[in-house]
Amino acid sequence: MMYKSVTFLFALMLLISCGGSGSSSGSSADGGGKSGQGIVTSLSGSSWQTECSKYNKFAAIDDDSIWNVRSSVRIDSSLQATFKTEFFHPEDTICKTMLFDTLNIINLEVKGKVTTDESIDAYKLNETYIFSSEDTMPEVTYTLVYLATEKLYFGKPTGVNLGTTAETRHSSISLADYYVQKVN
């Protein structure tokens, strides 16, 4: 009888210490429920970087190799993000010698869950620009954010969803364009 009691207590302690068999919505794989608290926690204090890739800011020009770029973003605990994009010659396909860079400092605000055009469960993201080294500086960009393991995706403009207002928020995410988490 004593053996069964000890076994039962041990099993109960193990079950409690592991959190039971269910999962709470705050730590689920969906990023923490509708409020987005889980994704906020995951983004806070993180750093991300893209690989060297081709970039053409001028879509009207039919040459997709005007520059090679590598981008990085560092997000602090208050969700202030510093985006840096480094530009390289089209021939520099490994992004070895940077020619110039741009810098944007943006406050991020997660606004709740949404499903993208591709049926991906993402979050609404409002980006409020504080500083931009480029010629133009939008006040707010209404976009999306999606986090999958060590990959970070942002929304992209499509059709009328240019991200200039909450009603025209980006509604699409390209799974081919992502940042990879950097280990600090």
Side-chain angles (χ1 to χ4, degrees):
M1 182 70 152
M2 175 73 163
Y3 175 70
K4 287 183 181 180
S5 297
V6 171
T7 304
F8 175 76
L9 286 174
F10 179 75
L12 184 60
M13 288 186 337
L14 184 61
L15 184 62
I16 291 171
S17 68
C18 292
S21 61
S23 66
S24 88
S25 64
S27 64
S28 65
D30 72 0
K34 288 190 176 196
S35 71
Q37 193 57 41
I39 196 165
V40 168
T41 301
S42 296
L43 292 175
S44 180
S46 64
S47 295
W48 307 82
Q49 185 171 0
T50 64
E51 293 185 14
C52 186
S53 61
K54 292 181 179 186
Y55 173 75
N56 180 1
K57 182 175 183 176
F58 307 104
I61 299 173
D62 205 19
D63 182 9
D64 67 350
S65 61
I66 292 180
W67 298 105
N68 281 311
V69 296
R70 180 176 52 223
S71 298
S72 62
V73 59
R74 188 180 60 238
I75 305 170
D76 70 15
S77 61
S78 66
L79 291 190
Q80 186 175 85
T82 302
F83 286 86
K84 181 178 181 181
T85 303
E86 300 172 324
F87 291 81
F88 304 84
H89 273 293
E91 298 81 27
D92 187 356
T93 58
I94 60 171
C95 294
K96 185 176 179 184
T97 306
M98 181 183 69
L99 297 173
F100 65 95
D101 63 5
T102 61
L103 188 70
N104 292 305
I105 302 173
I106 302 169
N107 281 332
L108 305 177
E109 181 183 14
V110 177
K111 298 300 287 181
K113 207 168 197 181
V114 65
T115 301
T116 69
D117 293 343
E118 301 82 15
S119 298
I120 298 169
D121 288 335
Y123 289 89
K124 297 175 189 176
L125 181 70
N126 295 353
E127 301 175 332
T128 305
Y129 285 72
I130 298 171
F131 172 81
S132 178
S133 63
E134 299 179 66
D135 291 339
T136 60
M137 188 168 96
E139 290 182 22
V140 178
T141 299
Y142 299 89
T143 190
L144 304 173
V145 64
Y146 172 62
L147 181 61
T149 314
E150 282 102 27
K151 292 181 181 179
L152 178 64
Y153 303 85
F154 290 99
K156 65 177 186 170
T158 55
V160 296
N161 296 330
L162 300 177
T164 55
T165 66
E167 293 75 28
T168 62
R169 179 181 304 280
H170 299 155
S171 62
S172 183
I173 287 181
S174 170
L175 294 178
D177 298 323
Y178 57 86
Y179 289 79
V180 176
Q181 190 165 18
K182 290 171 39 178
V183 178
N184 294 335

